[in-house]
Amino acid sequence: MAPPRAVYEYWFSVKHPRRTTTPRPVCGLPFQLASFLLKNTPPIGRPFSAYPMVDPIENAKRTAARKAVEDHFNPTARYIGIGSGSTIVFVVEAIKDRNQDLSRILFVPTGYQSRQVIVKAGLQPIQFDSLPSGVLLDVAFDGADEVDEDLNCIKGGGACLYQEKLVATHAKKFICVADQRKLQSRLLSKWDKIPIEVEPLAAHSVLQSLTTLGSQEASIRSGQLEKSGPLKTDQDNFIVDAKFKHPLFPKATTAEGVEGAGEDRHWAVETLAKEIKQIEGVLSVGLFCGTNGYEAEKAGRGAGGQKPVAAYFGMEDGSVVIRKAGEKDIVVNKQNEDKTTSLEN
């Protein structure tokens, strides 16, 4: 459907200022809204469908992905992990757009969806269990549902958390890519549940144990169709989503002296993750915490870590916030990526 004539008149008055006195408002709309219509209105005779609207969240994900790939993708790498979710599509896109020889790189997916993204991009996938013994991935790119100030993450919103954790813990470094909604000081601030992958036979007993740990509400995640029953992971397991009353402390002991060991339902991330993992029937917990890849290497563990070494958050203004362990957040501006600004956490 063509836009209203008033929109055309406003568009024409701005594009041809010499033929009119001042730009007229569109049907009395505020100037900010009129400006938005101007930017997203096609020339006369062109349908709206020829000019699709840009989703600011999707654009933020793309910006973060491009910066993360620019900083951490090495064309000489042999194995690269590719996570799950909408943000990873832009990571693969950014890798392809570098126009480098990718023929010798093998990409390890964390699920069916990410494998399809790899294949459609013309890249070479390899299953995790086909990796040579003792080999670590050069880097793993993945998203997150929420990231705190210490780079602990909640993951599993897309029901791939077990394979995501396998890949993250077998990479030299895990790089998280997300949009500004995921940038928080504590977990469970905006994202209100912890995904847990469980053996179907034990699902109901797991629910009971989570209640004992203080979960206000724990439920088995349903599939897209209610009549089809619970959602199943790639491993044919169930996902339990557990809500807790308070946001989680990034560290076990806080400055206020709270230990985060469940007192008055206050938990620290790593403490709660360990408690949930001990429940019989739990395969994997959607809390990615503990050490990162650099720390694991320094400790001589011979494996990676659950936490990212860096997280990239795309902002709606086109900038990217970079969060690294033990450092202040850095903002890379859209206009000039050489200029960076430090933020207090």
Side-chain angles (χ1 to χ4, degrees), residues 69 72-82 92 94-96 98-109 118-119 121-127 131 136-141:
V69 168
H72 296 280
F73 173 74
N74 186 342
T76 65
R78 181 61 177 146
Y79 300 101
I80 293 179
I82 297 295
V92 174
I95 291 173
K96 285 287 291 184
R98 295 183 69 82
N99 295 318
Q100 294 173 311
D101 181 14
L102 307 174
S103 59
R104 68 178 303 276
I105 303 178
L106 298 176
F107 294 85
V108 183
I118 293 169
V119 171
L123 305 176
Q124 297 184 63
I126 179 175
Q127 289 298 107
L131 290 170
L136 292 181
L137 310 182
D138 296 278
V139 61
F141 294 98

Side-chain angles (χ1 to χ4, degrees), residues 1-15 26 29 32-54:
M1 183 179 70
R5 182 178 181 82
V7 174
Y8 284 141
E9 291 176 349
Y10 177 79
W11 178 85
F12 187 86
S13 68
V14 175
K15 294 296 183 182
V26 182
L29 295 176
Q32 291 86 348
L33 182 54
S35 298
F36 173 81
L37 291 171
L38 170 66
K39 294 177 182 177
N40 294 279
T41 302
I44 297 174
R46 298 294 297 277
F48 271 117
S49 58
Y51 293 84
M53 303 283 278
V54 176

Side-chain angles (χ1 to χ4, degrees), residues 142-148 151-166 168 174 176 187-188 191-198 206 210 221 233 238-242 244 248 268-270 272-278 282-290 306-308:
D142 205 350
D145 300 311
E146 199 164 58
V147 184
D148 72 12
L151 291 177
N152 299 301
C153 303
I154 292 179
K155 292 174 55 58
C160 295
L161 64 104
Y162 176 62
Q163 291 193 58
E164 289 172 345
K165 190 165 284 191
L166 273 179
F174 161 31
C176 181
L187 299 185
L188 296 180
W191 188 268
D192 65 349
K193 51 188 173 291
I194 300 170
I196 305 161
E197 187 160 347
V198 305
V206 170
L210 288 169
R221 191 183 302 179
T233 68
F238 289 173
I239 294 291
V240 167
D241 291 310
F244 286 81
L248 304 180
V269 177
E270 193 168 356
L272 180 58
K274 289 178 179 178
E275 289 290 334
I276 296 175
K277 187 66 173 67
Q278 289 178 1
V282 170
L283 176 65
S284 190
V285 183
L287 292 173
F288 284 52
C289 54
Q306 295 184 21
K307 283 171 39 173

Side-chain angles (χ1 to χ4, degrees), residues 52-66:
M53 303 283 278
V54 176
D55 185 331
I57 295 298
E58 296 303 294
N59 197 49
K61 293 176 183 178
R62 176 179 279 111
T63 304
R66 291 190 176 279

